[in-house]
Amino acid sequence: MITNAFQKTGIALIAAAVAFAAFLVIAPQFASAQTPTCTFTRVLGPGTVGEDVRCLQRYLNASGYTVATIGVGSRGYETNQYGTLTQAAVVRWQVSKGISPTGIFNPAQLGATPTSPTVPTVPTSPSYDDDYEDARSELNDVRDEWEDAWDDLEDAEDDGESVGSARSYLDDAEESIIDALYAFVDEDYDDVMDYVDDARDAIDDALDEFDGGSSRDADRRDAKDAIDNAKDAIDDADEAIQDSDASSSRIRAAQKLLDRAEDALDDAEDAYDEGDWDDAVEYAEEAEDLAQDAEDELDD
């Protein structure tokens, strides 16, 4: 297996603006079936050294936020140094929990007790708007797509297939994903979406370089395209409803159709997350049709 993009490159997402000396926390603890109980009495960040760093690395490795797949930082070879690999793993943990991805580990984010088996999910702050959630979701999705593409490429190479320039394209995708992460931290959500689109284009180009990857990923890409089209149609319909001077009865009818479209889109995204690509396409196309019907209702 390859190392994750954020592990391979390392990222310095936050500078010394965090006032460590002014931050006092109670020492929360956590334990897991694979790691010893850890007690944290301080914020951990790049350059920190200590056994609490080693314990944090063990937890991350055991919980799916791998610090490294081989060598230093990998399971059984955790270190007491908080470097770029640890920072990248913490970023992925924070993104998955709805925490602002600073790459700096704050014990207050755990909210766990000494007997808690895993770190609980931290709810997304209500102050975060739809743009934040959309950007976070897209960033997670494209990272997974990038990793899947690497898996497909390595399988193809193991099977003796020619992969052409696939590796170069995936390197380009990696750069775009890192740019997207920087934009996310800066709250430039439009830029996040642009970088994510660039990453997806590069991933598609990579998969087109070899037959195996292209065929394995085609259904998923079709499902993603259908969902994106449905989202665009729903946004257009919502804008049309907001700007419409149609009668109140037509606006109510259009809104009901739009609500059904949003429900169908939710079903499509659930199917996509479960890997049911055909169902995802079907629900997404239904959502797109309903959104178009909502716009048509305003014109009748």
Side-chain angles (χ1 to χ4, degrees), residues 23 66 102 134 138 150 165 179 187 216 234 248 257 274:
F23 198 95
T66 308
T102 63
D134 289 344
E138 289 296 301
W150 267 110
S165 301
D179 287 338
E187 299 183 3
R216 279 190 293 270
I234 287 173
S248 58
L257 288 166
E274 294 170 3

Side-chain angles (χ1 to χ4, degrees), residues 24-295:
L24 300 178
V25 294
I26 298 174
Q29 300 174 320
F30 69 76
S32 81
Q34 295 92 350
T35 63
T37 299
C38 298
T39 300
F40 297 100
T41 59
R42 58 177 178 165
V43 172
L44 306 178
T48 305
V49 177
E51 288 306 307
D52 47 358
V53 174
R54 191 190 309 275
C55 206
L56 175 61
Q57 289 183 3
R58 288 175 179 168
Y59 172 75
L60 292 167
N61 282 336
S63 303
Y65 308 99
T66 308
V67 177
T69 55
I70 59 174
V72 175
S74 62
R75 186 174 296 194
Y77 296 92
E78 292 85 358
T79 75
N80 66 348
Q81 299 183 23
Y82 198 118
T84 56
L85 298 182
T86 306
Q87 183 182 16
V90 169
V91 165
R92 292 194 304 281
W93 174 75
Q94 288 171 327
V95 169
S96 73
K97 303 302 180 184
I99 303 169
S100 181
T102 63
I104 292 174
F105 176 75
N106 177 353
Q109 295 171 345
L110 289 173
T113 65
T115 58
S116 176
T118 58
V119 176
T121 299
V122 178
T124 300
S125 167
S127 63
Y128 290 145
D129 57 17
D130 290 342
D131 289 340
Y132 168 91
E133 290 297 341
D134 289 344
R136 185 168 71 91
S137 176
E138 289 296 301
L139 189 51
N140 273 323
D141 286 348
V142 76
R143 183 194 63 207
D144 292 342
E145 291 165 22
W146 183 90
E147 291 176 339
D148 289 343
W150 267 110
D151 289 340
D152 288 340
L153 183 148
E154 290 181 340
D155 288 343
E157 289 180 329
D158 290 343
D159 293 340
E161 295 181 32
S162 173
V163 297
S165 301
R167 284 182 174 271
S168 177
Y169 284 125
L170 290 182
D171 287 341
D172 292 341
E174 174 186 340
E175 292 180 7
S176 294
I177 292 171
I178 292 172
D179 287 338
L181 183 55
Y182 274 114
F184 184 84
V185 173
D186 291 337
E187 299 183 3
D188 294 332
Y189 302 132
D190 288 340
D191 285 350
V192 171
M193 295 304 194
D194 289 340
Y195 286 126
V196 165
D197 287 342
D198 290 343
R200 285 206 171 100
D201 288 342
I203 290 169
D204 289 345
D205 288 340
L207 293 170
D208 288 340
E209 289 289 299
F210 58 100
D211 293 338
S214 181
S215 62
R216 279 190 293 270
D217 203 56
D219 289 342
R220 182 181 60 177
R221 287 156 55 190
D222 288 345
K224 186 62 180 175
D225 287 343
I227 288 173
D228 288 342
N229 291 339
K231 287 180 178 179
D232 290 341
I234 287 173
D235 288 343
D236 290 343
D238 182 59
E239 184 176 350
I241 290 173
Q242 299 302 320
D243 296 340
S244 177
D245 56 2
S247 66
S248 58
S249 61
R250 290 196 180 279
I251 290 176
R252 285 196 299 272
Q255 186 62 56
K256 288 181 179 179
L257 288 166
L258 184 59
D259 290 344
R260 290 173 55 194
E262 290 172 342
D263 289 341
L265 177 60
D266 288 341
D267 290 338
E269 290 178 327
D270 288 343
Y272 182 90
D273 290 341
E274 294 170 3
D276 297 330
W277 315 127
D278 290 341
D279 286 348
V281 169
E282 183 176 345
Y283 285 127
E285 289 177 346
E286 179 185 354
E288 185 177 5
D289 290 342
L290 286 166
Q292 185 58 60
D293 289 344
E295 279 202 74

